[in-house]
Amino acid sequence: MRLVMVGSGYVGLVSGVCFADFGHDVVCVDKDPAKIARLKNGEVPIFEPGLDTMLEANMRAGRLSFTTDLTEAARDADAIFVAVGTPTRRGDGHADLTYVYEATREIAVLAAENAVIVTKSTVPVGTGDEVERILREVRPGANISVVSNPEFLREGAAIEDFKRPDRIVIGTDSDHARYVMTEIYRPLYINQGPLLFVSRRTSELIKYAANAFLAMKITFINEMADLCEKLDADVQDVARGIGLDNRIGAKFLHAGPGYGGSCFPKDTLALVKTAQDAKSPTRLIETVVEVNGRRKKRMAEKIIAACGGSVAGKRIAVLGLAFKPNTDDMRDAPSLDIIPALQAAGAEVIAYDPESMEQARQVLNVGFAEGPYDCIEGADALVIITEWNAFRALDLKRVKASLKSPVVVDLRNIYRPQEMKALGFTYHGIGRGA
């Protein structure tokens, strides 16, 4: 089938490349000429493992192309996916749908008769209704269907998630749209990716509800970690003990400095605002948002306490800046709260991340090292914020020799306390008691 992806950011690019790899003819559209020029040269502007290789292969095969011209791309397309950004709107916390509605007005003029317009962007409940209203206003009488098809991609594992999904949610009441969407995802039949057909509004809510629930699990285990520190218990054992219960599950029960990224902060806040507008407040999610924001700020206090109560004039080495490993995404990363707080307390911060330093330079004013050991050399303390694999097997004897004082604050619990203490470190993890 001929597919168009409007928006070549994270979701649009990953989806477009994966659809092309299924054998569809895909055109990715973006208004940023510099981004399109890079993509045409095979340069991927985001870090996602395996995406560059897959992109090049499908471009060579002639199934994937990039353009700034929506007019040409939309001609004869079976489905046009809207995958533009929906950032949090300043002032009220709602999702900003400006780009979605702008794209809709352009598509309405250009789409072929019987085309299917698919909202891939994360949007509040009722957005599809407004998209359809705009289509009918601009193109009265056109037989164009509007579908909700939210994405459930984890950054760092997006290709695997797309090709082996837990579920594919499709919101539509149109038989034609149902047929088109079934054909688009037919290549996943061998992997038995379940297609869940629901109403459009239900589909929109599923996306927000899923992310809010996962954010709630993370926040829950983080609060348990705080309790473990007070009661001299081990949060990792607590997580294993409850995660083995099939009703709970082990995923998203890893204590840390708080969730970040492009989805959870934005989507939980948008759900809270949507629920408040509907006069059906989600008190649990409101608390999750509040607790997570407070937790990221408290991590700096934890580091300062580990350094004897003051970091004034001290050099702090930070390993990991992105909100999670295997991505260069800095959006709402805990490091963006922790590092400025340390600097405000008088610390000099030097940092290293395997992939996100180009992005970090735009939002952090710190020294950047060329590698983990360069970062650690001469520091008064080491702080691990992101659990990259490259940090899991550091030469601990070399680390200790490089530090002025053997203070390690491990905000991801990637090292064993007993081993660290045996080597002479003053080690502080998350939720591990004394």
Side-chain angles (χ1 to χ4, degrees):
M1 302 192 85
R2 180 174 173 79
L3 310 180
V4 172
M5 196 66 58
V6 180
S8 299
Y10 186 86
V11 171
L13 186 57
V14 171
S15 301
V17 171
C18 286
F19 278 137
D21 209 52
F22 288 167
H24 296 304
D25 180 9
V26 179
V27 181
C28 291
V29 182
D30 201 282
K31 289 189 173 183
D32 184 347
K35 180 190 291 184
I36 292 299
R38 290 183 64 187
L39 288 167
K40 283 182 174 181
N41 288 329
E43 300 175 31
V44 178
I46 59 172
F47 177 73
E48 179 62 37
L51 186 61
D52 52 352
T53 302
M54 191 178 294
L55 181 144
E56 290 176 7
N58 283 282
M59 286 180 67
R60 285 197 305 271
R63 293 188 296 266
L64 178 66
S65 60
F66 301 94
T67 184
T68 58
D69 184 5
L70 180 58
T71 303
E72 182 65 26
R75 186 177 300 160
D76 300 325
D78 296 294
I80 302 174
F81 288 78
V82 178
V84 296
T86 55
T88 298
R89 194 164 65 195
R90 289 185 179 181
D92 62 7
H94 281 286
D96 187 344
L97 301 175
T98 301
Y99 302 126
V100 172
Y101 295 149
E102 285 179 355
T104 299
R105 291 187 179 280
E106 291 184 48
I107 292 167
V109 175
L110 302 170
E113 193 73 19
N114 290 322
V116 175
I117 311 304
V118 187
T119 304
K120 200 74 174 166
S121 304
T122 300
V123 296
V125 177
T127 301
D129 297 348
E130 179 63 13
V131 167
E132 184 166 17
R133 188 198 67 75
I134 292 171
L135 283 168
R136 302 295 173 241
E137 175 188 287
V138 176
R139 189 95 168 268
N143 187 25
I144 300 174
S145 303
V146 178
V147 172
S148 169
N149 177 214
E151 53 83 19
F152 300 97
L153 307 178
R154 296 168 298 160
E155 293 189 41
I159 292 173
E160 179 70 13
D161 286 347
F162 198 98
K163 293 196 166 187
R164 291 171 177 80
D166 297 322
R167 78 290 199 199
I168 301 159
V169 176
I170 299 170
T172 183
D173 58 3
S174 161
D175 290 339
H176 172 66
R178 185 182 180 118
Y179 167 77
V180 170
M181 297 304 293
T182 300
E183 286 300 297
I184 288 172
Y185 284 105
R186 185 166 52 83
L188 287 177
Y189 175 76
I190 194 169
N191 293 330
Q192 297 184 338
L195 285 132
L196 176 63
F197 285 96
V198 296
S199 73
R200 195 165 58 205
R201 282 178 164 247
T202 300
S203 173
E204 291 167 341
L205 183 55
I206 285 171
K207 169 64 176 180
Y208 278 120
N211 279 352
F213 188 84
L214 295 175
M216 189 165 59
K217 283 188 76 173
I218 293 170
T219 304
F220 170 81
I221 201 63
N222 283 340
E223 290 210 310
M224 289 299 102
D226 289 345
L227 184 59
C228 284
E229 291 180 9
K230 299 290 186 182
L231 300 179
D232 194 19
D234 190 320
V235 73
Q236 289 191 305
D237 289 338
V238 170
R240 278 192 289 268
I242 65 175
L244 289 170
D245 187 327
N246 289 331
R247 296 168 301 174
I248 296 173
K251 292 183 178 179
F252 290 85
L253 285 179
H254 301 287
Y259 61 75
S262 61
C263 293
F264 288 0
K266 176 173 68 74
D267 293 355
T268 50
L269 189 57
L271 180 59
V272 165
K273 296 299 183 182
T274 298
Q276 289 173 346
D277 287 351
K279 293 183 169 49
S280 180
T282 50
R283 300 299 188 204
L284 276 174
I285 308 307
E286 289 176 13
T287 303
V288 165
V289 172
E290 178 189 351
V291 170
N292 189 68
R294 189 168 64 241
R295 180 170 189 80
K296 288 193 274 190
K297 291 178 172 58
R298 285 189 60 247
M299 291 299 101
E301 298 171 9
K302 183 180 183 71
I303 295 164
I304 292 169
C307 293
S310 174
V311 291
K314 292 184 178 179
R315 181 183 175 95
I316 307 297
V318 170
L319 293 183
L321 297 170
F323 87 95
K324 64 180 285 188
N326 296 322
T327 180
D328 60 354
D329 198 338
M330 289 292 299
R331 285 174 287 185
D332 280 295
S335 61
L336 297 179
D337 287 291
I338 296 169
I339 289 175
L342 293 175
Q343 291 173 320
E348 175 197 357
V349 177
I350 184 164
Y352 172 74
D353 188 285
E355 292 294 338
S356 71
M357 290 200 292
E358 181 178 344
Q359 303 295 330
R361 283 188 174 93
Q362 301 173 32
V363 289
L364 288 171
N365 183 22
V366 300
F368 291 97
E370 295 184 0
Y373 297 108
D374 294 328
C375 183
I376 295 166
E377 186 67 39
D380 293 282
L382 165 62
V383 178
I384 301 172
I385 296 182
T386 313
E387 67 276 32
W388 285 91
N389 284 337
F391 305 152
R392 292 180 180 274
L394 294 171
D395 182 337
L396 296 177
K397 292 182 179 178
R398 181 178 175 183
V399 169
K400 186 181 178 187
S402 298
L403 289 169
K404 283 184 184 177
S405 56
V407 176
V408 175
V409 184
D410 180 1
L411 300 183
R412 297 293 184 173
N413 288 344
I414 63 176
Y415 286 100
R416 292 187 288 269
Q418 296 84 356
E419 178 184 359
M420 297 297 285
K421 290 173 182 176
L423 288 169
F425 286 98
T426 302
Y427 177 80
H428 302 267
I430 294 286
R432 286 174 150 177

